[in-house]
Amino acid sequence: QVQLVESGGGLVQPGGSLRLSCAASGSIFAINDMGWYRQAPGKQRELVAGTTRGGSTNYADSVKGRFTISRDNAKNTVWLQMNSLKPEDTAVYYCNAGVVNHTTYSYSKVWGQGTLVTVSS
């Protein structure tokens, strides 16, 4: 079984920065796309940033210029650097990865447990 473990969430003032990490482990043959999603209270879950194995990236309009997604394929790890944080960035942030299982060679989307980011003065 594949597991995604997230870390880095917390409380930060507006204008501050946080760096989220997500490490995948388990029966991994390969990881294709990886991404960060977030869900605020009363809101639907939305894609924040995504990256392909080849390094292409895409961002939600609301975070362009402020957030940066990066990955290390050798470490099966993805990060989200969040700068100039705003109160509206407050949400639970979830890591997601498209994983090929080492044993079954099946493909599935795997979610992390989520990490809470709170932006408040």
Side-chain angles (χ1 to χ4, degrees):
Q1 189 68 11
V2 176
Q3 182 181 22
L4 302 182
V5 179
E6 302 170 358
S7 63
L11 175 64
V12 65
Q13 294 184 347
S17 298
L18 285 174
R19 184 174 176 86
L20 306 183
S21 299
C22 173
S25 61
S27 300
I28 301 171
F29 178 79
I31 299 178
N32 295 321
D33 294 349
M34 303 187 78
W36 289 95
Y37 294 72
R38 68 185 181 188
Q39 188 165 21
K43 301 276 190 174
Q44 296 184 11
R45 187 173 299 186
E46 64 174 346
L47 176 67
V48 177
T51 181
T52 68
R53 185 172 181 84
S56 298
T57 59
N58 64 283
Y59 299 90
D61 288 341
S62 60
V63 307
K64 285 182 178 177
R66 300 188 297 120
F67 291 10
T68 302
I69 188 171
S70 59
R71 66 188 290 174
D72 186 332
N73 293 332
K75 297 182 181 296
N76 292 327
T77 300
V78 63
W79 298 270
L80 184 67
Q81 178 67 47
M82 304 184 294
N83 299 325
S84 302
L85 283 162
K86 305 175 180 179
E88 50 263 44
D89 294 319
T90 296
V92 177
Y93 284 71
Y94 297 91
C95 179
N96 177 264
V99 179
V100 179
N101 188 278
H102 187 271
T103 301
T104 66
Y105 301 101
S106 62
Y107 178 84
S108 63
K109 291 284 190 177
V110 181
W111 291 93
Q113 80 285 353
T115 184
L116 177 62
V117 173
T118 302
V119 185
S120 177
S121 60

